[in-house]
Amino acid sequence: MDQLKNFSDERQVAWCAYCGRGVETRDHVPSRALLDEPYPPNLPVVGACRLCNEGFSADEEYVACLIDSVIGGSATPASVGREKVRRILSQKPALTARLAGAYREVDRTGRFGVEVDRVRNVVLKLARGHALFELNEPQFRPPEHVRFVPLSLLARNIRDRFEQPPEGSLWPEIGSRAMQRLVAAPDNQPEWVIVQAGRYRYLASADHDVVVRMVLSEYLACEVVWRGLPPSV
């Protein structure tokens, strides 16, 4: 992906992207657990406190392994397509056992029980990182909603709306990466940023609301919305 320099108010990026504390480390958004090696160049990076940088790792690994276990129909490493996830499952038997224990046969169809709070934790973390990186809009307050669902379960009209930028999302902050992408876009419309084809993409927009959408492994569709732009930090 193209790496763009942020030309917006630098005071907005002087905080941990996730909690608002001071910046002690740098964090990739998305986490590399959600990407394949070799990693794409110019991955989005935001400032983070050490507690947040280290505190999401277990949940991010859980989400990565859950998605590929669902796709493969089993939590056994041999059934998983991604080499990275096979490696995590092989090295962390407790996680493998936890996922295997969540598997049930329902009407002859295999289903995994989902630890919803852990998935929500990761989705919200990713959205906060993208909001800061793309829009220069830190979001420390609770969102209006956090939603995630398999793409395949979305009705066609809902999926079409999900894939299109929100209406009214035309003018992000001057100098922000989102504004630079908007100016460069052929039709001056927000576009999905493809971090790694088939593995991770996102769209961040802001007008009255801040909306961040993500698709993980072309399987899990996610949306986080904050109603109304907050005062500048």
Side-chain angles (χ1 to χ4, degrees):
M1 62 174 287
D2 294 334
Q3 184 64 281
L4 302 175
K5 178 176 174 56
N6 177 38
F7 291 103
S8 294
D9 189 343
E10 289 293 330
R11 292 173 296 178
Q12 296 286 73
V13 297
W15 320 94
C16 170
Y18 313 120
C19 71
R21 289 188 287 259
V23 172
E24 300 170 304
T25 65
R26 309 295 288 176
D27 187 42
H28 289 100
V29 186
S31 162
R32 285 179 287 188
L34 301 172
L35 303 173
D36 288 333
E37 301 173 22
Y39 301 120
N42 300 324
L43 288 176
V45 177
V46 295
C49 70
R50 194 170 303 280
L51 182 63
C52 285
N53 198 341
E54 297 173 354
F56 290 100
S57 297
D59 286 350
E60 288 168 332
E61 286 187 340
Y62 166 79
V63 170
C65 292
L66 172 67
I67 289 173
D68 271 73
S69 295
V70 171
I71 293 173
S74 170
T76 59
S79 301
V80 170
R82 288 183 63 201
E83 178 182 351
K84 170 171 286 186
V85 173
R86 288 198 301 270
R87 186 167 65 245
I88 294 173
L89 292 173
S90 297
Q91 294 172 349
K92 301 195 173 182
L95 175 57
T96 304
R98 192 180 189 102
L99 288 167
Y103 181 82
R104 298 287 186 274
E105 290 281 347
V106 180
D107 296 329
R108 298 185 180 181
T109 301
R111 297 180 182 177
F112 282 86
V114 176
E115 297 181 42
V116 174
D117 287 345
R118 299 186 74 179
V119 178
R120 185 185 188 280
N121 191 37
V122 171
V123 170
L124 180 54
K125 180 249 188 181
L126 293 169
R128 283 187 164 128
H130 292 315
L132 181 60
F133 184 83
E134 285 292 319
L135 306 170
N136 212 56
E137 295 286 354
Q139 300 297 320
F140 305 130
R141 61 203 171 108
E144 176 74 13
H145 69 245
V146 178
R147 295 172 181 161
F148 44 89
V149 64
L151 272 173
S152 61
L153 297 183
L154 293 177
R156 172 52 59 185
N157 63 324
I158 295 175
R159 180 165 179 173
D160 289 344
R161 287 200 301 269
F162 175 81
E163 295 285 358
Q164 293 298 316
E167 293 183 4
S169 56
L170 294 179
W171 300 110
E173 182 175 339
I174 299 296
S176 67
R177 294 180 177 92
M179 174 58 84
Q180 295 174 60
R181 296 189 202 280
L182 189 67
V183 171
D187 55 359
N188 293 126
Q189 288 289 328
E191 296 182 333
W192 287 85
V193 177
I194 300 174
V195 178
Q196 190 172 59
R199 192 60 62 209
Y200 193 97
R201 58 189 171 101
Y202 69 88
L203 186 152
S205 64
D207 188 47
H208 179 67
D209 300 334
V210 171
V211 180
V212 180
R213 293 173 182 162
M214 300 148 282
V215 179
L216 284 59
S217 294
E218 288 304 314
Y219 175 80
L220 190 66
C222 312
E223 181 183 75
V224 180
V225 174
W226 287 271
R227 296 294 185 199
L229 295 181
S232 298
V233 174

PDB file of all heavy atoms in Angstrom, residues 23-37:
ATOM      1  N   VAL A  23       2.517   8.219  24.256  1.00  0.00           N
ATOM      2  CA  VAL A  23       3.071   7.281  23.291  1.00  0.00           C
ATOM      3  C   VAL A  23       4.416   6.749  23.797  1.00  0.00           C
ATOM      4  O   VAL A  23       5.322   7.523  24.100  1.00  0.00           O
ATOM      5  CB  VAL A  23       3.256   7.959  21.916  1.00  0.00           C
ATOM      6  CG1 VAL A  23       4.026   7.047  20.962  1.00  0.00           C
ATOM      7  CG2 VAL A  23       1.907   8.331  21.325  1.00  0.00           C
ATOM      8  N   GLU A  24       4.513   5.423  23.902  1.00  0.00           N
ATOM      9  CA  GLU A  24       5.761   4.780  24.321  1.00  0.00           C
ATOM     10  C   GLU A  24       6.313   3.840  23.251  1.00  0.00           C
ATOM     11  O   GLU A  24       7.502   3.556  23.225  1.00  0.00           O
ATOM     12  CB  GLU A  24       5.530   3.974  25.610  1.00  0.00           C
ATOM     13  CG  GLU A  24       5.058   4.810  26.782  1.00  0.00           C
ATOM     14  CD  GLU A  24       4.609   3.942  27.947  1.00  0.00           C
ATOM     15  OE1 GLU A  24       3.721   3.095  27.756  1.00  0.00           O
ATOM     16  OE2 GLU A  24       5.181   4.115  29.045  1.00  0.00           O
ATOM     17  N   THR A  25       5.437   3.341  22.358  1.00  0.00           N
ATOM     18  CA  THR A  25       5.845   2.399  21.329  1.00  0.00           C
ATOM     19  C   THR A  25       5.094   2.720  20.040  1.00  0.00           C
ATOM     20  O   THR A  25       4.255   3.616  20.004  1.00  0.00           O
ATOM     21  CB  THR A  25       5.521   0.942  21.744  1.00  0.00           C
ATOM     22  OG1 THR A  25       4.090   0.792  21.832  1.00  0.00           O
ATOM     23  CG2 THR A  25       6.141   0.584  23.085  1.00  0.00           C
ATOM     24  N   ARG A  26       5.380   1.960  19.004  1.00  0.00           N
ATOM     25  CA  ARG A  26       4.655   2.052  17.746  1.00  0.00           C
ATOM     26  C   ARG A  26       3.950   0.727  17.515  1.00  0.00           C
ATOM     27  O   ARG A  26       4.474  -0.335  17.824  1.00  0.00           O
ATOM     28  CB  ARG A  26       5.617   2.346  16.590  1.00  0.00           C
ATOM     29  CG  ARG A  26       6.547   3.524  16.834  1.00  0.00           C
ATOM     30  CD  ARG A  26       5.818   4.834  16.954  1.00  0.00           C
ATOM     31  NE  ARG A  26       5.303   5.289  15.667  1.00  0.00           N
ATOM     32  CZ  ARG A  26       4.557   6.369  15.517  1.00  0.00           C
ATOM     33  NH1 ARG A  26       4.201   7.094  16.573  1.00  0.00           N
ATOM     34  NH2 ARG A  26       4.130   6.732  14.320  1.00  0.00           N
ATOM     35  N   ASP A  27       2.754   0.791  16.939  1.00  0.00           N
ATOM     36  CA  ASP A  27       1.950  -0.417  16.760  1.00  0.00           C
ATOM     37  C   ASP A  27       1.433  -0.495  15.333  1.00  0.00           C
ATOM     38  O   ASP A  27       0.957   0.508  14.778  1.00  0.00           O
ATOM     39  CB  ASP A  27       0.774  -0.413  17.744  1.00  0.00           C
ATOM     40  CG  ASP A  27       0.000  -1.719  17.726  1.00  0.00           C
ATOM     41  OD1 ASP A  27       0.631  -2.789  17.669  1.00  0.00           O
ATOM     42  OD2 ASP A  27      -1.244  -1.668  17.776  1.00  0.00           O
ATOM     43  N   HIS A  28       1.498  -1.688  14.733  1.00  0.00           N
ATOM     44  CA  HIS A  28       0.970  -1.890  13.387  1.00  0.00           C
ATOM     45  C   HIS A  28      -0.557  -2.031  13.436  1.00  0.00           C
ATOM     46  O   HIS A  28      -1.097  -2.698  14.311  1.00  0.00           O
ATOM     47  CB  HIS A  28       1.564  -3.160  12.761  1.00  0.00           C
ATOM     48  CG  HIS A  28       3.007  -3.022  12.395  1.00  0.00           C
ATOM     49  ND1 HIS A  28       4.018  -3.520  13.185  1.00  0.00           N
ATOM     50  CD2 HIS A  28       3.607  -2.428  11.332  1.00  0.00           C
ATOM     51  CE1 HIS A  28       5.194  -3.256  12.626  1.00  0.00           C
ATOM     52  NE2 HIS A  28       4.972  -2.594  11.500  1.00  0.00           N
ATOM     53  N   VAL A  29      -1.207  -1.378  12.485  1.00  0.00           N
ATOM     54  CA  VAL A  29      -2.658  -1.486  12.336  1.00  0.00           C
ATOM     55  C   VAL A  29      -2.936  -1.856  10.883  1.00  0.00           C
ATOM     56  O   VAL A  29      -2.813  -1.010  10.004  1.00  0.00           O
ATOM     57  CB  VAL A  29      -3.376  -0.171  12.680  1.00  0.00           C
ATOM     58  CG1 VAL A  29      -4.876  -0.364  12.656  1.00  0.00           C
ATOM     59  CG2 VAL A  29      -2.934   0.369  14.030  1.00  0.00           C
ATOM     60  N   PRO A  30      -3.250  -3.102  10.558  1.00  0.00           N
ATOM     61  CA  PRO A  30      -3.608  -4.180  11.470  1.00  0.00           C
ATOM     62  C   PRO A  30      -2.381  -4.883  12.057  1.00  0.00           C
ATOM     63  O   PRO A  30      -1.270  -4.747  11.534  1.00  0.00           O
ATOM     64  CB  PRO A  30      -4.371  -5.156  10.563  1.00  0.00           C
ATOM     65  CG  PRO A  30      -3.691  -4.986   9.241  1.00  0.00           C
ATOM     66  CD  PRO A  30      -3.390  -3.519   9.145  1.00  0.00           C
ATOM     67  N   SER A  31      -2.631  -5.649  13.094  1.00  0.00           N
ATOM     68  CA  SER A  31      -1.593  -6.501  13.657  1.00  0.00           C
ATOM     69  C   SER A  31      -1.082  -7.473  12.607  1.00  0.00           C
ATOM     70  O   SER A  31      -1.837  -7.948  11.750  1.00  0.00           O
ATOM     71  CB  SER A  31      -2.161  -7.280  14.845  1.00  0.00           C
ATOM     72  OG  SER A  31      -1.330  -8.382  15.150  1.00  0.00           O
ATOM     73  N   ARG A  32       0.186  -7.813  12.683  1.00  0.00           N
ATOM     74  CA  ARG A  32       0.766  -8.752  11.721  1.00  0.00           C
ATOM     75  C   ARG A  32       0.196 -10.156  11.876  1.00  0.00           C
ATOM     76  O   ARG A  32       0.350 -10.984  10.980  1.00  0.00           O
ATOM     77  CB  ARG A  32       2.285  -8.736  11.830  1.00  0.00           C
ATOM     78  CG  ARG A  32       2.890  -7.480  11.204  1.00  0.00           C
ATOM     79  CD  ARG A  32       4.381  -7.411  11.309  1.00  0.00           C
ATOM     80  NE  ARG A  32       4.828  -7.126  12.659  1.00  0.00           N
ATOM     81  CZ  ARG A  32       6.090  -6.855  12.986  1.00  0.00           C
ATOM     82  NH1 ARG A  32       7.020  -6.819  12.045  1.00  0.00           N
ATOM     83  NH2 ARG A  32       6.416  -6.593  14.242  1.00  0.00           N
ATOM     84  N   ALA A  33      -0.467 -10.425  13.005  1.00  0.00           N
ATOM     85  CA  ALA A  33      -1.127 -11.721  13.153  1.00  0.00           C
ATOM     86  C   ALA A  33      -2.239 -11.900  12.131  1.00  0.00           C
ATOM     87  O   ALA A  33      -2.615 -13.023  11.789  1.00  0.00           O
ATOM     88  CB  ALA A  33      -1.696 -11.870  14.565  1.00  0.00           C
ATOM     89  N   LEU A  34      -2.760 -10.791  11.612  1.00  0.00           N
ATOM     90  CA  LEU A  34      -3.856 -10.836  10.651  1.00  0.00           C
ATOM     91  C   LEU A  34      -3.368 -10.807   9.208  1.00  0.00           C
ATOM     92  O   LEU A  34      -4.178 -10.805   8.276  1.00  0.00           O
ATOM     93  CB  LEU A  34      -4.809  -9.665  10.894  1.00  0.00           C
ATOM     94  CG  LEU A  34      -5.436  -9.611  12.300  1.00  0.00           C
ATOM     95  CD1 LEU A  34      -6.209  -8.310  12.489  1.00  0.00           C
ATOM     96  CD2 LEU A  34      -6.340 -10.805  12.543  1.00  0.00           C
ATOM     97  N   LEU A  35      -2.038 -10.793   9.009  1.00  0.00           N
ATOM     98  CA  LEU A  35      -1.442 -10.716   7.683  1.00  0.00           C
ATOM     99  C   LEU A  35      -0.528 -11.910   7.447  1.00  0.00           C
ATOM    100  O   LEU A  35      -0.102 -12.579   8.380  1.00  0.00           O
ATOM    101  CB  LEU A  35      -0.644  -9.421   7.535  1.00  0.00           C
ATOM    102  CG  LEU A  35      -1.399  -8.108   7.777  1.00  0.00           C
ATOM    103  CD1 LEU A  35      -0.429  -6.939   7.769  1.00  0.00           C
ATOM    104  CD2 LEU A  35      -2.498  -7.915   6.751  1.00  0.00           C
ATOM    105  N   ASP A  36      -0.216 -12.139   6.185  1.00  0.00           N
ATOM    106  CA  ASP A  36       0.696 -13.211   5.818  1.00  0.00           C
ATOM    107  C   ASP A  36       2.084 -12.660   5.537  1.00  0.00           C
ATOM    108  O   ASP A  36       2.243 -11.497   5.134  1.00  0.00           O
ATOM    109  CB  ASP A  36       0.190 -13.947   4.567  1.00  0.00           C
ATOM    110  CG  ASP A  36      -1.032 -14.810   4.843  1.00  0.00           C
ATOM    111  OD1 ASP A  36      -1.185 -15.247   5.997  1.00  0.00           O
ATOM    112  OD2 ASP A  36      -1.826 -15.036   3.913  1.00  0.00           O
ATOM    113  N   GLU A  37       3.080 -13.518   5.710  1.00  0.00           N
ATOM    114  CA  GLU A  37       4.442 -13.163   5.342  1.00  0.00           C
ATOM    115  C   GLU A  37       4.685 -13.549   3.877  1.00  0.00           C
ATOM    116  O   GLU A  37       4.127 -14.543   3.412  1.00  0.00           O
ATOM    117  CB  GLU A  37       5.425 -13.897   6.260  1.00  0.00           C
ATOM    118  CG  GLU A  37       5.239 -13.576   7.738  1.00  0.00           C
ATOM    119  CD  GLU A  37       6.104 -14.444   8.646  1.00  0.00           C
ATOM    120  OE1 GLU A  37       7.134 -14.980   8.161  1.00  0.00           O
ATOM    121  OE2 GLU A  37       5.730 -14.618   9.812  1.00  0.00           O
TER     122      GLU A  37
END
